[in-house]
Amino acid sequence: MPIPATQIAGLANGINGSRKVKPNNLKKLFTKAFRSTAVKSIFKSKAKRKPPAEIVRRVRFLLEAVDSLDDNVDPSHFDKMEELDSLLHELKAMLYGSNECEPAVDACAQLTQEFFRENTFRLIIICLPKLNLEARKDVTRIVANLQRQPVNSRLIASDYLEANSDLMDHLVCGYDDPDLALHYGTMLRECIRHQVVARYVLNSEHMKKFFDYMQIPEFDVAADATATFKELMTRHKSTVAEFLSENYDWFFVEFNAKLLESANYITRRQAIKLLGDILLDRSNSSVMTRYVSSKDNLRILMNLLREASKNIQLDAFHVFKLFVANRNKPTDIVNIIVANRSKLLRFFASFRIDKEDEQFEADKAQVVKEIAELEAKGPLFSGELHKFPGTPTASGELYKLPTTPLSRQLT
């Protein structure tokens, strides 16, 4: 970076003889110029970097100090925060590398080991509210990266979090604070990459909170909570299947009432898509069979088929076809479908997508065939609750299905 222009001008004037400068004054002028921030930064960049473990220990010391300091009283608070900001940025650079160089494997391993050796990881999460925005961003990326850093071919973050699972309570509750929600949410999603952590969150009381977090008025916070919820419900298949089997009743009561029947379009759209992902996963086959044996669930899906949104209609079809394809349909399910047979067949006759899709056509044809061949079991009832009302457009036709191609197969 250049020496300040005024100082260069002064040097030039002295050298050119436009004004006489004494030798001592010239020496002071050069000293002042080379002590400037710009010049220092040139030489500082070439200075030898401290060992990673030493930097982490210094960060730990500063975090402990920041955690105990009263920023309105302690005069050293600003200096400590400034140093902490700089060191956090340096740690992030070590873990992610730069345009000029890749991260050093040994340095990352040392850094990771030192982070989990003491309570640095805990402190960096607890102290997040006291950091400025840029430091919070650095911390978020550091915490995320540490989950994937191996030490001696082992992800030691998983062992640490298993022994310190209370930190997940802190991260989940971060959704209560809009200023911290996105930072803590990102950290949480990275932590639940570890199956032991996901199992802890799934079996905690916090799972019920997600149904409220996903409906928070702040769109970005609600979207982040939804992304975390989806990660919890889809990443570790065996753990999710076990969770759903043990918590089926309360989970789907909440899922149906607060998500599928939400007044918010975005919530309904994301919920019906996620429901399809869950039920169509072979790991959840027993849960799927149970879900499609419920007349209340069928009522909800038939109502979603009537949505004006093409996206919701199409995702609802993916789930509705499971009710029809079930070879062991309960009597209630059979009778509801038979009672609404004519309306359903008219609906599917108008069920189109613009692009040619053989799988979609095969799925639809199978659904229509099954509905047409169903025979009632016992007397039919006429409860309006279970009827599939026609929902005509202004032209008198049923809403047509979306143009998004199908990718799932009837199972």
Side-chain angles (χ1 to χ4, degrees), residues 184-204:
Y184 279 142
T186 300
M187 294 182 202
L188 180 59
R189 282 193 298 281
E190 291 295 330
C191 289
I192 59 181
R193 294 167 65 93
H194 310 297
Q195 191 163 10
V196 65
V197 176
R199 182 180 294 111
Y200 172 81
V201 178
L202 284 168
N203 293 322
S204 72

Side-chain angles (χ1 to χ4, degrees), residues 107-126:
C108 289
Q110 293 174 35
L111 186 160
T112 303
Q113 197 162 18
E114 187 62 33
F115 240 99
F116 293 112
R117 190 194 308 278
E118 298 290 343
N119 64 339
T120 311
F121 191 85
R122 175 179 292 276
L123 277 170
I124 209 168
I125 289 176
I126 301 300

Side-chain angles (χ1 to χ4, degrees), residues 248-249 251-257 260-261 272 275 279 287-305 316 319-320 323 332-333 336 385-386:
Y248 179 93
D249 291 330
F251 180 85
F252 281 108
V253 166
E254 293 286 291
F255 194 98
N256 289 348
L260 289 181
E261 297 185 299
I272 186 58
L275 179 63
L279 297 183
V287 173
M288 182 268 288
T289 301
R290 188 173 177 183
Y291 189 89
V292 300
S293 297
S294 164
K295 63 182 182 182
D296 291 330
N297 295 340
L298 177 59
R299 174 186 60 80
I300 293 171
L301 264 297
M302 290 170 73
N303 283 333
L304 289 171
L305 281 173
V319 179
F320 176 78
F323 286 86
D332 286 348
I333 299 295
I336 291 171
L385 179 67
H386 306 291

Side-chain angles (χ1 to χ4, degrees), residues 298-340:
L298 177 59
R299 174 186 60 80
I300 293 171
L301 264 297
M302 290 170 73
N303 283 333
L304 289 171
L305 281 173
R306 298 172 52 226
E307 284 269 357
S309 165
K310 294 182 178 182
N311 291 301
I312 291 180
Q313 281 185 324
L314 184 55
D315 284 319
F317 170 69
H318 288 313
V319 179
F320 176 78
K321 69 187 181 185
L322 299 177
F323 286 86
V324 177
N326 182 12
R327 296 303 175 191
N328 298 301
K329 300 179 188 67
T331 300
D332 286 348
I333 299 295
V334 173
N335 289 346
I336 291 171
I337 295 175
V338 171
N340 292 277

Side-chain angles (χ1 to χ4, degrees), residues 60-70 77 80-81 84 119 122-123 126-131:
R60 181 165 63 245
F61 169 79
L62 292 171
L63 286 170
E64 290 171 342
V66 167
D67 191 38
S68 61
L69 285 177
D70 184 342
H77 180 268
K80 286 184 169 62
M81 289 297 295
L84 180 58
N119 64 339
R122 175 179 292 276
L123 277 170
I126 301 300
C127 292
L128 191 73
K130 297 190 175 184
L131 305 181

